[in-house]
Amino acid sequence: MREQLAIEGGKPVITDALPTIKNASGRLFGQEEKQAVLEVMEEGILCYTYGQRVRRFEREFAGLMGANHAVAVSSGTAALHTAMVYLNPDPGDEILVPPITDMGTVIAILLQQAVPVFVDIDPLNQNMDPAEIEQHISSRTKAILPVHIYGSPADMDPIMEIARKRDLFVIEDCAQAHLTKYKGRLVGTIGDMGCFSFQQSKHITTGDGGMVISNRDSEFGRELRLCFDKGWPRHKHVRDHYFLAPNYHMTELQAAVGIAQLAKYPACIERRRESAFLLRDLLAEEDAIRPPGTLPDCEETYFHYCFTFDRSRMLVDGEQIVASLNAEGLECELGYPGTVPLYMYPMIRDKKTYGSSGWPFDSPAARRIWSYDEGLCPEAEKACRRTVVLPWNEGLTEEHVNLIAAAIRKVFSAYKAAGDADGPLVADAAGCWPAADQRKRHTEGLENV
Ligand SMILES: *Cc1c(COP(=O)(O)O)cnc(C)c1O
């Protein structure tokens, strides 16, 4: 007889709270951050314009990334919007973006009156599929905005090749991919600009906050610093405003925390990777589960630990699986950014933007009237229904991961249909799926949603 699940009244596997990013238990906060904030208060300079700490945080972040420029801003969404202000599209111009990301990615596009054009994902890693890009390029396309989702890099080589050939700008959304490596290079330094978030759930945090990095020279586009500072050339010591731009200053308090957090980056990444690899190994025999897929020669940094399951081997759907995992004491959700891709939320589907105008989806400036219906990106829609999203953090120990694996195994063995198994999938030690047959098996059998 199978073990009684907690959702049916059985005993939950996890009874004590696991570490979480929602408080200090899952974060690397210490005396350093506390001291840094106190120093700012004692000096009495809280604002970026008069202080030195935001500048120092920018310099140190740029140094770590090997980027020519870094500007700190108030959020990840602000970072992406700052990049859009720099790009300066005409209203109705088009930006290619994946539908599996945080809404902040798309908000940045809409705030600049540009149109998000959704490119379907590669089911392996749920990032923008390079093979799907060219069919969406038009005379109005200005940029490609790949997102490195869950800490796993998008396939940047083919994306950059298309962008160079078609003269498009590339903005990388690295909000979930701090220190993620694509073939030896840090993400954020491959495209024209990279955007980061320091919101509380990201790898390092300033509460809220963000950063834009670039290796371009400042001759291209508008000067980056003006793009989040009211178009104001403060270095000229006169009041002037060159163009429309928001105020997205980071405060000195946030930067003080950010500088202290930078020192903890390596430990954060190492711990997340170590515990994620452990979970992957503990679930290796669970053949209805597909572990996170990473491209060859890449390093994933595990913002979330997301696995997909083979619906054809399960007796119940994703909602039931997740509800059962929750009952076992494991915090997780079905799908990211939810059970549907972004374009099915009212903001986009119902064009809830500027008054009743429907801008920019439905405006004289746009090339056509844009609509976003179910079926637009079939792979993304399927992924949202078969992905279990476990929030990950650097506070997880071996003991915690053992409990997480036990909860998952309990639920999956209770709900798994009898039948032939192919045997487990095997990734290499770095968590990548190098072989084509392994890659194929990672995604097949997932059609039956
Ligand atoms: C968090 C996040 C953002 C937005 O960052 P905020 O700081 O929350 O505004 C954008 N894109 C992705 C992929 C994110 O995870």
Side-chain angles (χ1 to χ4, degrees):
M1 224 184 70
R2 71 169 168 85
E3 209 181 338
Q4 192 179 27
L5 295 175
I7 203 168
E8 301 161 342
K11 191 177 162 310
V13 174
I14 302 167
T15 47
D16 296 331
L18 294 176
T20 167
I21 53 86
K22 292 175 187 164
N23 59 43
S25 64
R27 311 302 352 230
L28 298 174
F29 296 144
Q31 207 50 40
E32 303 78 15
E33 285 80 4
K34 213 160 140 184
Q35 189 57 37
V37 170
L38 278 177
E39 277 170 25
V40 175
M41 289 313 299
E42 275 157 16
E43 284 168 19
I45 306 172
L46 276 57
C47 170
Y48 148 79
T49 332
Y50 311 125
Q52 291 301 320
R53 281 183 175 76
V54 173
R55 298 289 186 147
R56 184 175 150 204
F57 185 31
E58 292 172 345
R59 275 196 308 277
E60 291 188 5
F61 196 82
L64 187 71
M65 293 288 160
N68 292 342
H69 308 278
V71 296
V73 292
S74 54
S75 73
T77 306
L80 288 153
H81 186 213
T82 298
M84 290 298 299
V85 173
Y86 181 88
L87 175 65
N88 195 24
D90 281 328
D93 278 350
E94 295 157 24
I95 312 294
L96 306 191
V97 67
I100 298 227
T101 177
D102 180 81
M103 192 58 99
T105 316
V106 175
I107 289 170
I109 297 168
L110 292 173
L111 285 177
Q112 209 55 31
Q113 308 262 353
V115 174
V117 176
F118 292 99
V119 177
D120 209 353
I121 57 155
D122 178 344
L124 174 82
N125 56 15
Q126 303 191 7
N127 279 312
M128 179 186 273
D129 185 347
E132 294 286 315
I133 292 176
E134 296 224 60
Q135 61 178 300
H136 294 290
I137 296 177
S138 79
S139 60
R140 298 294 301 277
T141 309
K142 283 292 167 323
I144 308 177
L145 206 171
V147 179
H148 306 293
I149 203 74
Y150 315 137
S152 185
D155 200 357
M156 290 305 292
D157 280 347
I159 291 174
M160 293 309 295
E161 197 183 311
I162 296 166
R164 294 302 170 238
K165 195 172 70 189
R166 309 292 291 254
D167 199 21
L168 302 174
F169 203 74
V170 175
I171 299 168
E172 293 175 72
D173 182 340
C174 311
Q176 300 187 2
H178 295 228
L179 301 183
T180 289
K181 283 188 184 155
Y182 176 80
K183 300 187 180 175
R185 296 150 78 193
L186 287 171
V187 299
T189 63
I190 301 167
D192 297 285
M193 303 179 108
C195 299
F196 293 80
S197 166
F198 306 123
Q199 188 265 345
Q200 172 123 11
S201 70
K202 316 295 174 162
H203 295 74
I204 61 167
T205 183
T206 58
D208 270 303
M211 191 79 78
V212 186
I213 63 173
S214 178
N215 276 322
R216 303 215 53 131
D217 58 41
S218 52
E219 296 305 306
F220 182 93
R222 296 152 147 187
E223 214 248 294
L224 189 55
R225 204 163 282 284
L226 306 185
C227 297
F228 67 90
D229 194 15
K230 309 176 195 169
W232 185 348
R234 290 184 199 256
H235 58 283
K236 293 202 167 158
H237 304 290
V238 288
R239 197 177 265 271
D240 205 346
H241 299 278
Y242 290 171
F243 52 81
L244 176 66
N247 169 359
Y248 286 148
H249 295 176
M250 174 177 277
T251 71
E252 291 284 289
L253 289 161
Q254 290 165 293
V257 173
I259 292 164
Q261 285 271 288
L262 275 183
K264 302 175 181 181
Y265 241 154
C268 164
I269 303 301
E270 202 176 307
R271 289 186 190 191
R272 282 177 183 248
R273 282 170 60 82
E274 231 170 67
S275 52
F277 289 166
L278 176 60
L279 181 59
R280 184 199 66 201
D281 293 346
L282 290 171
L283 297 176
E285 298 299 318
E286 193 46 79
D287 52 41
I289 287 179
R290 306 289 198 270
T294 308
L295 295 167
D297 308 320
C298 293
E299 276 180 42
E300 177 168 9
T301 55
Y302 297 96
F303 173 65
H304 291 318
Y305 188 101
C306 290
F307 63 85
T308 50
F309 56 87
D310 181 349
R311 180 68 180 89
S312 66
R313 304 224 42 223
M314 302 300 291
L315 299 169
V316 297
D317 64 11
E319 265 97 1
Q320 181 69 19
I321 292 169
V322 163
S324 299
L325 289 168
N326 292 158
E328 297 297 337
L330 183 60
E331 186 190 336
C332 60
E333 284 174 28
L334 182 64
Y336 187 89
T339 53
V340 291
L342 284 183
Y343 53 81
M344 288 168 74
Y345 287 93
M347 182 198 296
I348 297 169
R349 194 197 51 207
D350 303 335
K351 308 180 186 177
K352 302 281 189 197
T353 49
Y354 299 94
S356 56
S357 67
W359 276 65
F361 305 114
D362 195 349
S363 81
R367 176 168 64 87
R368 44 169 277 203
I369 294 175
W370 293 88
S371 56
Y372 300 88
D373 298 317
E374 194 170 349
L376 189 65
C377 298
E379 289 299 339
E381 289 173 21
K382 275 189 270 180
C384 287
R385 311 274 321 147
R386 64 168 186 235
T387 301
V388 176
V389 182
L390 301 178
W392 213 239
N393 68 72
E394 52 274 21
L396 294 166
T397 63
E398 189 177 334
E399 196 185 329
H400 297 132
V401 178
N402 278 319
L403 282 171
I404 293 171
I408 295 171
R409 279 198 304 253
K410 182 180 171 190
V411 168
F412 272 78
S413 54
Y415 289 144
K416 203 160 56 179
D420 291 339
D422 296 334
L425 281 163
V426 185
D428 67 15
C432 302
W433 302 103
D437 62 327
Q438 292 282 354
R439 185 188 158 85
K440 185 164 172 292
R441 277 200 39 216
H442 190 272
T443 52
E444 77 188 353
L446 299 175
E447 304 308 315
N448 248 334
V449 183

